[in-house]
Amino acid sequence: MKKKRTVDDHLPLTHTTYYILLALGSSLHGYGIMQKVEEMSKGTVRLGPGTLYGALSKLEKDGLIVKVDVQERKKNYQLTDLGNRVIQAEYERLHELVERSKPYVKKLGEDLT
């Protein structure tokens, strides 16, 4: 019997997965996801079709996203409740990491001057 995966089982996320899930705050098709990720990342993450569709397949299998509308070759995806909880948890994890490390990074910068 397959164990039900929890939010923590999906963390940490890769940059690519983080941006894909974030882009799916509203229903989008593949090309729309590629554009949204590039926009959100200010061009630092550019997804090719192979990378995107491989990631979408895995995310769908993991229950983080679902197809909501399929018309011919155009498939729209959106976050599931689990996907929403995962992206929220990853945001909190990253925020906490930055906040806790801020004084140490600042000190390292002072040591360099």
Side-chain angles (χ1 to χ4, degrees), residues 16-94:
T16 301
T17 301
Y18 182 80
Y19 278 117
I20 290 170
L21 292 177
L22 200 56
L24 289 172
S26 60
S27 174
L28 284 173
H29 54 80
Y31 184 68
I33 295 168
M34 288 167 47
Q35 290 180 309
K36 184 80 171 179
V37 166
E38 188 169 341
E39 173 192 321
M40 287 187 306
S41 72
K42 301 205 185 303
T44 62
V45 177
R46 290 192 176 119
L47 300 171
T51 300
L52 176 64
Y53 288 104
L56 291 173
S57 177
K58 182 181 181 332
L59 292 169
E60 188 174 21
K61 181 180 164 214
D62 288 347
L64 301 180
I65 65 172
V66 64
K67 283 183 200 130
V68 291
D69 187 29
V70 178
Q71 295 176 3
E72 293 182 29
R73 292 180 50 198
K74 196 179 207 181
K75 299 173 186 110
N76 280 10
Y77 298 88
Q78 74 179 34
L79 286 176
T80 62
D81 181 56
L82 176 60
N84 191 352
R85 288 182 290 146
V86 166
I87 195 70
Q88 295 292 330
E90 180 68 348
Y91 174 84
E92 290 300 321
R93 186 188 75 79
L94 292 170

